[in-house]
Amino acid sequence: MLNVISGKEIEAEILKIISKEAFDRSTENKVSEIVLNVKNRGDGAIFEYTKAFDNIEINEFSVTDQEFKDAYSNVGRDFIESLEVLGKNITEFHKKEKGSEWFEQQDEDAVVGIRNIPLGSAGIYVPGGRAKYPSSVLMNAIPAKVAGVPRVVMATPPPIDPHVLVAAAEVGVREVYKIGGAQAIAALAYGTRSVAKVDKIVGPGNIYVTIAKKLVSYDVGIDSLAGPSDILIIADCDAEPQYIAADLLSQCEHDPQSRAILVTDSETLIPRVLKEIESQFKKLKRQDIIKGSLDDNGRIFLVHKLKEAIDIANRIAPEHLEILVSPPQKIFEKITNAGAVFLGPYSPVAIGDYGAGPNHVLPTNGTARFSSPLGVYDFVKRQSFLGYTKGALNKIRKFSSKMAEVEGFDAHKRAIEIRFS
């Protein structure tokens, strides 16, 4: 299932991984048509797309109080307890991300500083389709709530699983819309009769959702353009093959396009991992998805030294990076490009997916080179301010006027000098 690659072939495979393909033009044209149709026709277009894509006819997009009540009656108490424990972990982690405001009196005549202002509204998109994702509700909504966003709304394809609705209610999101796909992104971006527009849209989705977010990003904030999930594991000869196999398989069950990579310097580890993958695979439910992922995007890189693994990881910039080396710290301190890092044999990616604390909305497709996990900072605007007296302005008057003169902006220079005429 996984291709074993070594020697000079590794470089060719890395180049294949890190070279991105542009969005398919025909798909982008289809999404553009959906977005424009919703922007121009609003609810009417959404009704049509919901019937066409979800095979459902609905007269009202908003989830009612009765639907929330019904959802609670269809989930167990153990699930609600799980939401409470995991939600608390995520909340406590994100509270530490709140940036500090600052105010400084430079002298008696001048003050400068930064204010943190929560966004007025945020729309979270929770995918449906292949699976249900109550964990994505927690990961998207909680940092927005911690940031102090007063209006957090959710859009997700119908029919909505009761676990997803209960998760929304438990984190205080009661404005929920039964809308999926590109039409949901357009509704949140531009507003309709039923849906008031938001300031920012976050949350992963399929290729239609991703392209729609790209198209509306001129008019509304977005978090990122998410691609398929990926995992890279660095392991030495002492790593447990069972754990490696389980962790690779866990990410492959997301999507046939998911990517799973093992990098090791141990030739003896590879057959043991392959044997475990074959054994564990037979017991899993989502075999078609997993097989597609492993066949197309599963790789094992056999390197001479683990130092090479560090370079490979930083070049690929994986969404999830596991370091199954003892001790992991020496490798970890040299990792600069990874969405989230998991240290040691008892820190599987799966625990990060559900609620150890850090967010599971992570940069994909190598964007960890310049992007960060979703956090409180995604829901806050930083606003600078200054207050000068005439005396303070006079101290930098000559220098500012000179800069305006060099740049050829005489109106700028006059705006400064007129205060001393």
Side-chain angles (χ1 to χ4, degrees), residues 46-303:
I46 299 174
F47 280 123
E48 293 170 8
Y49 289 128
T50 302
K51 183 178 179 181
F53 299 145
D54 301 308
N55 296 314
I56 293 175
E57 289 191 57
I58 53 177
N59 298 317
E60 181 58 52
F61 300 124
S62 296
V63 172
T64 65
D65 290 341
Q66 185 60 49
E67 286 174 303
F68 276 112
K69 187 176 179 181
D70 292 342
Y72 270 93
S73 66
N74 283 288
V75 303
R77 178 61 203 166
D78 55 345
F79 171 71
I80 296 175
E81 289 174 357
S82 297
L83 287 177
E84 292 169 352
V85 172
L86 300 176
K88 182 179 179 182
N89 290 344
I90 298 165
T91 300
E92 291 305 313
F93 181 90
H94 284 297
K95 279 182 177 177
K96 295 177 178 65
E97 292 179 334
K98 296 184 77 171
S100 58
E101 300 182 314
W102 60 271
F103 168 92
E104 180 180 277
Q105 186 154 346
Q106 294 183 325
D107 54 38
E108 294 181 357
D109 299 321
V111 293
V112 295
I114 288 287
R115 297 171 64 202
N116 293 326
I117 304 172
L119 300 182
S121 58
I124 64 174
Y125 184 82
V126 176
R130 289 191 177 96
K132 53 193 172 193
Y133 293 103
S135 61
S136 287
V137 180
L138 303 183
M139 295 291 182
N140 284 278
I142 288 175
K145 290 286 185 178
V146 171
V149 178
R151 176 176 170 249
V152 181
V153 310
M154 183 175 89
T156 190
I160 305 176
D161 185 90
H163 297 85
V164 171
L165 271 188
V166 170
E170 287 294 305
V171 294
V173 177
R174 285 276 178 168
E175 187 180 343
V176 179
Y177 297 101
K178 295 172 275 190
I179 311 173
Q183 60 271 28
I185 302 304
L188 291 171
Y190 300 114
T192 71
R193 179 182 57 80
S194 299
V195 184
K197 67 180 181 180
V198 298
D199 295 321
K200 189 166 189 176
I201 302 169
V202 303
N206 62 18
I207 188 66
Y208 276 66
V209 169
T210 302
I211 294 175
K213 286 169 73 175
K214 174 192 170 189
L215 294 175
V216 303
S217 62
Y218 297 101
D219 301 303
V220 67
I222 64 168
D223 52 348
S224 63
L225 300 178
S229 183
D230 66 81
I231 181 174
L232 188 149
I233 299 176
I234 298 175
D236 61 13
C237 60
D238 295 323
E240 175 53 61
Q242 285 184 316
Y243 301 168
I244 295 171
D247 294 348
L248 291 171
L249 290 166
S250 72
Q251 292 309 299
C252 289
E253 71 177 344
H254 279 292
D255 189 296
Q257 301 302 315
S258 295
R259 187 170 64 225
I261 299 173
L262 167 64
V263 185
T264 182
D265 63 345
S266 172
E267 198 167 350
T268 60
L269 178 68
I270 293 174
R272 294 157 63 205
V273 169
L274 290 172
K275 184 178 179 181
E276 274 297 328
I277 288 175
E278 185 178 352
S279 173
Q280 293 183 31
F281 173 79
K282 295 174 182 176
K283 303 170 187 175
L284 299 174
K285 296 177 181 178
R286 301 166 70 83
Q287 291 186 0
D288 288 346
I289 294 172
I290 294 170
K291 187 176 187 307
S293 172
L294 288 176
D295 288 349
D296 294 339
N297 302 297
R299 295 173 177 87
I300 297 177
F301 291 149
L302 175 62
V303 296

